[in-house]
Amino acid sequence: LNGLNGTTSLAPIVGAFLSDAYLGRYLALAIASVASLIGMFFLTLTAGADSLHPADCGVGEVCQKASSYQLAVLFISFAFLVIGSAGIRPCSMPFGADQFDPHTESGRRGINSFFNWYYFTFTSAMLVSATVIIYVQSNVNWAIGLGIPTALMLLACVLFFMGTRLYVRVIPEGSPFTTIVQVFAAAFAKRSLKQPKDPKQD
């Protein structure tokens, strides 16, 4: 889990670069949303399908280890979730802000309202996931506890793609990471050059 948390925290850096330089925010979000849905679906299957997780063991019994096939399905679900995190985390908020014109009064009000609702829904979702979802997973059933967010992700994907024709899509203009890398590359290439005594000397 530590590896998964670390990877999902670093993946948005790669996602932000690809979005700014090549894909654009809409395409990055579209790919990430589908990837997240696939990852959550497979993760739910690992809890719901008996063939995808080790058999339950009682107190004092030796628990069976997960088979290679079961681990493969689990890691595949993690991989899709990382891809989803790479696109959703860095692009969801900027893409929402792209839908408003900051040069107009109504656009500025729309951006402010969007950010307020974004943080409100984000905080509410975190609260529900930390209470209701965990309670269902711990006291009812893991498959149901994972199935609820999977169903909500499916609904989110449907709503997202329904608005495809209405979205404002900003053309990718390059990533600031590219400039940073170019600066470091130039500094490394010129590391052996001596500084002239006269600053005006070429």
Side-chain angles (χ1 to χ4, degrees):
L1 291 179
N2 290 334
L4 176 64
N5 290 333
T7 306
T8 53
S9 297
L10 293 175
I13 299 177
V14 179
F17 170 76
L18 294 176
S19 170
D20 292 340
Y22 302 105
L23 300 177
R25 296 188 182 107
Y26 170 79
L27 184 56
L29 273 175
I31 295 173
S33 298
V34 174
S36 292
L37 179 60
I38 295 174
M40 295 175 69
F41 175 75
F42 278 111
L43 190 61
T44 303
L45 284 181
T46 61
D50 293 336
S51 60
L52 295 180
H53 63 262
D56 296 335
C57 54
V59 179
E61 296 180 358
V62 178
C63 297
Q64 296 180 357
K65 293 183 178 180
S67 65
S68 299
Y69 171 72
Q70 293 168 345
L71 289 175
V73 175
L74 179 64
F75 289 143
I76 288 173
S77 68
F78 286 166
F80 277 107
L81 289 175
V82 169
I83 295 173
S85 174
I88 293 176
R89 288 190 181 184
C91 296
S92 57
M93 187 181 296
F95 180 74
D98 287 342
Q99 309 310 306
F100 304 94
D101 185 359
H103 300 97
T104 64
E105 182 63 28
S106 61
R108 288 191 290 269
R109 288 199 304 268
I111 292 176
N112 291 333
S113 178
F114 166 74
F115 284 132
N116 290 335
W117 280 106
Y118 181 93
Y119 282 111
F120 173 77
T121 54
F122 178 79
T123 305
S124 299
M126 292 292 292
L127 178 62
V128 172
S129 64
T131 54
V132 178
I133 300 300
I134 290 180
Y135 175 82
V136 173
Q137 292 173 348
S138 302
N139 298 280
V140 181
N141 186 281
W142 268 96
I144 297 176
L146 292 171
I148 293 174
T150 301
L152 293 175
M153 188 65 205
L154 174 61
L155 176 62
C157 287
V158 171
L159 294 176
F160 174 75
F161 286 110
M162 284 178 60
T164 295
R165 296 184 178 181
L166 304 176
Y167 295 138
V168 175
R169 305 188 195 182
V170 177
I171 299 174
E173 299 178 350
S175 172
F177 288 112
T178 303
T179 305
I180 295 174
V181 172
Q182 289 174 344
V183 170
F184 279 104
F188 180 79
K190 298 179 180 180
R191 66 189 184 280
S192 299
L193 295 180
K194 295 182 179 180
Q195 183 177 1
K197 295 181 180 180
D198 185 0
K200 296 181 180 180
Q201 181 180 351
D202 294 333

